[in-house]
Amino acid sequence: FWSDQYGLSLQIAGLSDEGRSTVRRDLGDGAFILFHLAEEGRLVAASGIGPGNAVARDIRLAEMLIGKRAKPSVEALESPDVKLKALLAA
């Protein structure tokens, strides 16, 4: 799902209602992504908001992680220094 609202883009991948905990990653310029994790730590959804296309690439990568049924660490999801593409290769 995506929607452009007043200069901001909202994008969502996965089913956030399956999540039991949420991890926030700040991307700068007011943009951020929330990663929604199931009880066992599996990534089940990601939602982000930011100006322009600030979250688009990371939401697409999160969608691939969801498809892989990945269980990335909370620390990796929180840190903007950890590239989501690297988590796909793990």
Side-chain angles (χ1 to χ4, degrees):
F1 168 83
W2 65 269
S3 179
D4 292 328
Q5 300 289 323
Y6 305 101
L8 296 175
S9 178
L10 168 65
Q11 298 191 20
I12 301 170
L15 300 172
S16 60
D17 61 336
E18 292 180 11
R20 297 295 175 250
S21 62
T22 303
V23 177
R24 180 182 170 128
R25 175 184 281 209
D26 290 313
L27 302 174
D29 294 329
F32 65 91
I33 293 181
L34 299 175
F35 295 102
H36 308 276
L37 304 173
E39 196 168 301
E40 72 279 4
R42 183 173 50 88
L43 182 62
V44 293
S47 53
I49 191 165
N53 290 324
V55 299
R57 179 178 47 87
D58 284 344
I59 291 293
R60 281 193 304 274
L61 291 167
E63 188 173 8
M64 289 185 250
L65 287 166
I66 293 164
K68 281 184 67 171
R69 302 181 64 80
K71 295 181 182 179
S73 72
V74 169
E75 295 79 14
L77 292 175
E78 284 177 329
S79 175
D81 296 328
V82 175
K83 304 296 182 200
L84 294 179
K85 192 170 185 176
L87 297 177
L88 273 171

